[in-house]
Amino acid sequence: MNDNLTRDAFLGGRVQLLQPRHGYRAGADPVLLAASVPARSGQSVLDLGCGVGAAILCLGARVPGLLMTGVEMQPDYADLARRNGGDQLEVIPADINDLPLDLRERQFDHVMTNPPYFDKAARRAGKDGGRETAVGEVTPLAKWVKIAAKRARPKGFVHVIHRAERLPDILRALPVHMGSIEVLPLTPRAGRLAELVILRAKKDGRAAFKLHAPLILHEGSRHEKDGDSYVPAVKSILRDGAALDF
């Protein structure tokens, strides 16, 4: 294997991913996003900005028989996603602002995305260009949300994980036909503010807005030692591929 790559196990080894040794490396966030998608076998799923395929391949490991497509603008990461997914994952190397015509003519049961978290203009750039592209927002978050909504079929779902402080921006960006909105805050420890949110919206949905009780990720009120401190429910998601129901 190339010395610039590592092979990393997700879901207790059910998913094996080649990742850059230096650069953006998938962590818990895409796994939690994947766990929250209530997909069923035979449905189609699109992952916008799929990176090396962490989120969509974790979803595919939990729900067999999905028709899976990922879009990734960085050629090296798209190539790794293709290698990681093999025949089960269609990878389209493209910028979400310039999707190929055949993809723009398709719609999906579920569209998932983990957009870049940080304003690139407001932070000091790191040395690794691949990581900067993955975490630094160039395409506005509102554009990610609107493009995801366009690719969802009638009664289809959009799923987004992002920083909690950007929730108002996501809600403002959702088109009027996206309803049945549910938000799950993710907080690192009891008594802490939520740092992340997972949002789910349904095209043509009419159910009332739901703000769920936060999911606490780690045991204890503070970090006391290195090691795995996830609460049992989260550990089951990350290690065993359990669903994150809400």
Side-chain angles (χ1 to χ4, degrees):
M1 185 171 62
N2 188 320
D3 288 342
N4 294 322
L5 300 177
T6 62
R7 186 181 296 277
D8 301 295
F10 289 74
L11 305 186
R14 291 168 60 189
V15 174
Q16 300 281 335
L17 297 179
L18 292 172
Q19 299 196 88
R21 188 177 298 277
H22 306 288
Y24 175 75
R25 295 172 57 80
D29 297 3
V31 184
L32 292 168
L33 175 63
S36 74
V37 178
R40 302 188 306 274
S41 182
Q43 289 188 322
S44 57
V45 182
L46 174 66
D47 187 353
L48 292 175
C50 68
V52 302
I56 197 163
L57 292 175
C58 285
L59 175 58
R62 178 170 62 85
V63 185
L66 295 175
L67 305 174
M68 301 189 297
T69 301
V71 173
E72 173 54 48
M73 69 175 291
Q74 298 193 76
D76 291 348
Y77 287 77
D79 180 63
L80 289 174
R82 191 177 292 110
R83 293 168 66 182
N84 289 329
D87 294 339
Q88 64 177 318
L89 177 62
E90 174 193 18
V91 179
I92 299 174
D95 188 322
I96 66 165
N97 295 294
D98 189 25
L99 296 175
L101 178 60
D102 63 333
L103 183 58
R104 298 201 308 268
E105 292 177 340
R106 295 162 59 188
Q107 292 186 309
F108 298 80
D109 295 298
H110 297 275
V111 182
M112 57 196 299
T113 187
N114 180 186
Y117 283 167
F118 303 105
D119 183 348
K120 204 167 187 176
R123 64 191 295 270
R124 190 171 183 177
K127 295 180 180 179
D128 186 88
R131 187 177 189 280
E132 282 303 301
T133 300
V135 303
E137 180 183 321
V138 176
T139 297
L141 177 58
K143 194 78 176 287
W144 284 86
V145 174
K146 292 180 187 301
I147 291 171
K150 283 185 178 179
R151 299 277 61 81
R153 66 172 30 131
K155 304 299 183 182
F157 291 88
V158 167
H159 311 266
V160 183
I161 187 169
H162 213 284
R163 302 287 299 176
E165 63 264 28
R166 301 301 302 277
L167 177 59
D169 300 323
I170 298 172
L171 292 171
R172 280 193 294 267
L174 283 170
V176 294
H177 58 262
M178 298 300 298
S180 301
I181 299 167
E182 299 187 53
V183 175
L184 176 68
L186 306 178
T187 185
R189 297 180 186 277
R192 298 277 194 90
L193 293 176
E195 293 185 357
L196 299 174
V197 292
I198 298 176
L199 177 142
R200 175 192 302 147
K202 183 178 182 180
K203 185 171 280 190
D204 305 319
R206 297 185 178 183
F209 175 83
K210 291 182 181 179
L211 177 61
H212 292 269
L215 174 67
I216 298 169
L217 301 180
H218 296 276
E219 296 179 322
S221 59
R222 62 184 179 179
H223 177 80
E224 295 183 344
K225 61 180 180 179
D226 293 336
D228 189 341
S229 64
Y230 289 112
V231 301
V234 173
K235 190 177 297 185
S236 182
I237 291 167
L238 299 179
R239 306 287 182 257
D240 305 325
L244 173 50
D245 296 319
F246 71 92

